[in-house]
Amino acid sequence: MYSTLGVTGRPNVDWCESHKVETIRTNVVGTLTLADVCREKGLILINYATGCIFEYDSDHQLGSGLGFKEEDTPNFTGSFYSKTKAMVEELLKNYDNVCTLRVRMPISSDLSNPRNFITKISRYEKVVNIPNSMTILDELLPISIEMAKRNLTGIYNFTNPGCVSHNEVLELYREYIDSTFTWKNFNLEEQAKVIIAPRSNNELDTTKLKTEFPELLSIKESLVKFVFEPNRKTPVAA
Ligand SMILES: NC(=O)c1ccc[n+]([C@@H]2O[C@H](COP(=O)([O-])OP(=O)(O)OC[C@H]3O[C@@H](n4cnc5c(N)ncnc54)[C@H](OP(=O)(O)O)[C@@H]3O)[C@@H](O)[C@H]2O)c1
């Protein structure tokens, strides 16, 4: 059984701050119930969860290349959304039939989808610029099907190896999609004035997933191969 069950909030995760019971109902009660019913029925649950339960800290500094591992305890509960997701991940560890996939900043080749991370940040008035682990769905969703076939359970950091920053993504957007594209940056303090809950920024260690799937591309290679090349609108440089 596969599940993408979860509330992330509309228009964004700030919604969860003012709808706590609804957020618990889906992200905790719903997810646990599903895991429990699957266990009763002898089914493995492939649970598309989140890696937004970590933030850079002194042992995992931005740019250090030291990512959070599967066994690390979540250190980011700054938003109610992340808090529910961290709590449910902890409880799900007790279910031997669950495969928890920590997805981050999902990107797909469908640039018309407003939920696509690239589409989202290309429409923001101002954007922060922080390296993060991200998930290229075109590459990783087929891998999750294969994980089910292999009966894998437990926690997996479900991102491409390495990090990419907002500006690096937007530079690729300008190179491949719209050569006239421009954007403005702002810093975390300025961002804090236009959002309610803090956001998670982190790097996840992908050694476990890469060991199982050695062909897994780095985030930058995957972005170009699965997203930007198939969508190219600008002429190829001579
Ligand atoms: N989007 C992100 O940036 C992001 C990043 C990392 C991880 N994730 C995780 O990935 C998963 C999918 O996220 P998404 O962005 O695809 O969210 P989404 O578009 O809002 O989809 C969530 C799904 O959950 C279902 N759902 C919500 N509440 C439900 C309930 N009470 N009972 C039954 N079904 C319910 C929704 O059904 P309906 O369509 O019928 O409402 C929908 O199919 C979530 O667990 C999320 O936490 C998302």
Side-chain angles (χ1 to χ4, degrees), residues 3-10 22 25-27 30-31 47-52 81 85 101-106 115 117 120 135:
S3 169
T4 61
L5 180 70
V7 292
T8 59
R10 297 286 193 277
E22 294 88 335
R25 185 176 300 135
T26 298
N27 293 359
T31 305
N47 181 39
Y48 298 90
T50 183
C52 286
Y81 165 78
K85 289 291 191 168
L101 303 179
R102 289 180 180 157
V103 174
R104 288 212 71 231
M105 298 179 165
R115 308 275 294 152
F117 175 78
K120 266 200 226 178
T135 302

Side-chain angles (χ1 to χ4, degrees), residues 151-163:
N151 290 331
L152 297 178
T153 55
I155 297 173
Y156 282 84
N157 289 338
F158 199 61
T159 61
N160 292 85
C163 276

Side-chain angles (χ1 to χ4, degrees), residues 22-43:
E22 294 88 335
T23 304
I24 294 169
R25 185 176 300 135
T26 298
N27 293 359
V28 183
V29 180
T31 305
L32 285 177
T33 303
L34 193 56
D36 199 57
V37 170
C38 284
R39 190 170 183 280
E40 291 292 302
K41 300 282 178 195
L43 295 172

Side-chain angles (χ1 to χ4, degrees), residues 113-156:
N113 188 329
R115 308 275 294 152
N116 188 332
F117 175 78
I118 299 175
T119 315
K120 266 200 226 178
I121 65 169
S122 69
R123 292 177 183 175
Y124 285 158
E125 203 179 318
K126 290 185 180 172
V127 58
V128 293
N129 181 33
I130 304 170
N132 270 285
S133 287
M134 301 189 193
T135 302
I136 305 296
L137 294 173
D138 301 68
E139 182 177 6
L140 282 163
L141 285 184
I143 283 180
S144 64
I145 311 282
E146 182 56 29
M147 291 174 85
K149 289 183 185 160
R150 294 184 193 179
N151 290 331
L152 297 178
T153 55
I155 297 173
Y156 282 84

Side-chain angles (χ1 to χ4, degrees), residues 55-62 64 66-69 72 75 203:
E55 63 179 347
Y56 289 119
D57 65 14
S58 54
D59 293 331
H60 309 83
Q61 293 187 28
L62 189 156
S64 67
L66 293 173
F68 291 92
K69 294 193 164 69
D72 284 332
N75 70 346
E203 175 166 359

Side-chain angles (χ1 to χ4, degrees), residues 74-118:
N75 70 346
F76 178 77
T77 51
S79 69
F80 193 73
Y81 165 78
S82 293
K83 193 173 185 171
T84 58
K85 289 291 191 168
M87 288 171 118
V88 83
E89 185 190 279
E90 179 61 28
L91 291 169
L92 285 176
K93 282 185 192 169
N94 299 297
Y95 285 79
D96 57 8
N97 62 316
V98 175
C99 182
T100 292
L101 303 179
R102 289 180 180 157
V103 174
R104 288 212 71 231
M105 298 179 165
I107 293 174
S108 89
S109 55
D110 179 6
L111 295 178
S112 66
N113 188 329
R115 308 275 294 152
N116 188 332
F117 175 78
I118 299 175

